[in-house]
Every structure is written in C-alpha cells, then in structure tokens.
Amino acid sequence: MVPDLPSPSRRSLLASAGLALAGATVGVGATRPTALPDPVTDQASKWLPDPTDHRWHPPVSEAHAREAVGRLADEVERGRELWEELDDDDDRFTGAGGHLDSARDDLESGDHRGALFSATYGMQFAGEDVGVALARLDRDGGDPERLAERGEAILERATAVAEAVADYPVADPGRDLGWYHEIERRIRLARLDAHERDPDRDRTYDARDIGTMYGGNLRAEQRVRDAEYLHERLRDRVGDDAEQWADRVDRVDGRVREAIDGFPSRETVREEVRALDEGTPYALARWKLSMWCYDTDYLVADWDEDLSLLNAVEAAQALAQRRAHDRAVDALVMEPDGPRSFDSGHVIREKRAAMRRFRRVVGDSPAPLLSILTERAGEDIDVAEVGFAGSYERPIWRDRVDAYCYALVARMKLKEYPRVFERFVDRA
C-alpha cells in the first residue's frame, strides 16, 4: 500500500518556483538563452540589471526652489479665496492637485530639484482654477487681452535669455553645453506655455479657456525664471576666459542635417515595412524600429531658430537613430519568412549586450551633454522587459519582440553616440 503524500501548499510551490526562476536568471549568463524555457527568460528580462539614472540635471538651490513653491502656495491661496466668492454647486476648487504638498515634502527632504518640478507642474492646476474664477467673477486678471499682454512680456524675457546665451561661451564643452541645452529647453517650454494673441482669429473665450491661458502663463513665467537662474549659475562656472562655441554648433548642425538627407524619408521606410507579411515577428520588429528611429521632432522644433544648440542636439539624435535603425535591421535574429513565434531568450542576450555597451559608453558619471544625448537609450534598456507594456489580448510573442527591439535599438544607438558627442566637443 502506498502511503498518502502530503499536498504541497501554495506558498511552498510559489517559493520553489521563485527559487527556480532566480537560479535560472543567474544561469542565463552561463547558458545559451534560447535553451531556457520562455517563462523563465520572460521573468529574467525583468531581473537583469538596468541602467542607473544617469541623466544629468543642473543643480537647484534651496532658495530658488523655495521661491517657486512660495509662488505656487500664493496662487493656491488666491484661488481658494476667489472660489469662496463663487456660488457653484456643480464645480469646486481643486488647488494644485496635490503638487503643493509634494513640493513641500521635497523641500523638507532636501530634494530641491524635485520641489521645483512639483511646484512648476502644480502651477498649471492652480492657475487654471484661478483663471476660471477670475473669468466667472469678471475680474481684470481674467481678461484675454490682459492675458495676452502678460504672455508677450514672458516671451520677451525668454527671448532675452536666448540672446544672452547665443554665443555659447564654454570652458568645458561637455559640461557647459549640457547647461546651455537645459537653458534652451526651458525657453522652448516657456514659449509653448505662454499665451499669445492670435491675430487671425476673432473668437470668444469661456471660463475654462481663460483658466488654461492663465495657468499656461503662470508656468511659462516659472520656466523663464529657471532659465535666467541657470544662466546666472553657468556664468559663474564658465568665467571670463571661455571660448565661444556658436560657430562650432552651427557647423555640427549643418553637417548632421546634410547626413540625414542621405537617408530615405520616413514615409519611404514606412512603405517598405507595410509591404511585409503582417503578423510575423520580423514585420513587427521592422515596424517598431521604423517608428522609434524615424521621428521628425528635429524638424518640427525648428521654428525656434534662435535655440541653435537645442536644435542641433535633436538633429544629431535623429541622425544617430537613423544609423541605429539600419544597424538594428541588419542584426535582427528573425527572418521575414520565419515562424510566428519568438523565443524570449533573445531578449536576455540582447539586453545583456546593451548593458555592456551602456557601461562602456556612459559609465557612472558621464559629461552632462553625453548624458542628455544617451538618455533615451538608457530608458530603452530599462523597459526591455517582457510584459512591460503588454496586453493579455495579444500573443505573448509580440511582447517579447517589443522587449528585444528596445534592447537592440538601445545598443545600436549607443554605438553612434560617442561620435555624436565628439562632434560637439571637438576643439579642432
């Protein structure tokens, strides 16, 4: 007679499975990845090392952050007082959407950059409520003409900063160009947020429109304050013996755009992909690579003609992406007529290769400009996980192809960025 064996508990089964997966992950480095079962390598894709948060950000002083948090607090208080005058049971005052509390917590913990970010983000929420109340109460601050005048004043300040940095004096190009990039990025954001008078349209504005305009101006003004603050900090760092880098930036921009012209157009690449047999791993991979590498952001942004460095960096990233696209297509492990399945072991192998290259190219403390150039490549490696953005309504092989392509394109971009970086910092 065979004795009854005790039934394993659910907890013990899960623990055993976890140990098995952990052991398999360790073994990925010593075993051919495609030899392991897909469920094991699916999980291992989440456990492999990811890049550290290498993206450089300019330092923010406590005083600058505290001023921004104070301005947000003033707007929240103003909004609360205005909404107390309104008799509206169908709407309510929402304040800064929780961002004022977050900003104060960040200040308390010493995270000044986080406090500034939360304060700036909260200004749109608080400003919208203030603007709605001003419009409904028929106060001067809710007049579209006054809002346009305020927006124009903000834009004039933004342009003044752009003109002040236009020569790009640098002492250390890899460091200082990173600062100028961040200054110009804030100028662009301010221009997007600030309300401008539209001479081609004769329209009326409702209270919600006024709220959006008021909030946009509030946030744009903070962006300009940030740009002015960063410029002042950078001047102290650069000193009086700096070299002017504007001509070099223009040369890089011109050469990069000339090189881009040698690649097929975005639509040509898309048409080539559309001609492939749909529903295969190869076709999906080609589609993903074309979307990720053939964007047109560097052209859309060119209306900010005075932001030369920002435009040149975006064009250089676009060139690196196009070159990475061709390298990635050549390196694909699947074939056009291959099976309608995909082994997630390829994700493991590619992600490990991408991380090795990331460590060689970026390291632990890259120059500010290099960290800006490679930011997206690090993010690509980070999301190279099976199931990161998956859906239970689609075949699992599609998630595996997504993760594989993220890692592959990151590795190929990281092959290009050292040359791109050298173009900007070369003193020759």
Side-chain angles (χ1 to χ4, degrees), residues 248-258 308 311-313 315:
R248 290 180 175 86
V249 170
D250 288 342
R251 285 199 300 271
V252 170
D253 188 57
R255 291 169 182 169
V256 163
R257 290 170 191 270
E258 183 179 353
S308 300
N311 289 330
V313 167

Side-chain angles (χ1 to χ4, degrees), residues 146-167:
R146 293 281 296 276
L147 289 169
E149 291 173 359
R150 184 181 179 187
E152 288 172 357
I154 294 168
L155 294 173
E156 288 175 3
R157 285 177 63 183
T159 297
V161 181
E163 291 174 351
V165 303
D167 290 333

Side-chain angles (χ1 to χ4, degrees), residues 319-393:
L319 175 60
Q321 288 171 188
R322 282 156 175 72
R323 287 176 170 166
H325 172 271
D326 290 355
R327 286 178 178 268
V329 169
D330 290 342
L332 286 172
V333 295
M334 63 281 281
E335 299 292 337
D337 56 352
R340 294 175 184 264
S341 63
F342 190 71
D343 193 316
S344 66
H346 294 298
V347 178
I348 301 302
R349 181 165 53 194
E350 193 54 61
K351 188 169 183 176
R352 291 179 67 245
M355 270 304 300
R356 286 195 299 270
R357 184 160 295 278
F358 181 88
R359 293 188 182 105
R360 289 198 299 270
V361 170
V362 179
D364 294 326
S365 56
L369 181 61
L370 180 60
S371 83
I372 290 167
L373 287 166
T374 58
E375 177 183 18
R376 183 53 192 268
E379 292 173 353
D380 289 339
I381 299 173
D382 189 47
V383 299
E385 300 175 355
V386 178
F388 167 73
S391 168
Y392 292 109
E393 298 178 358

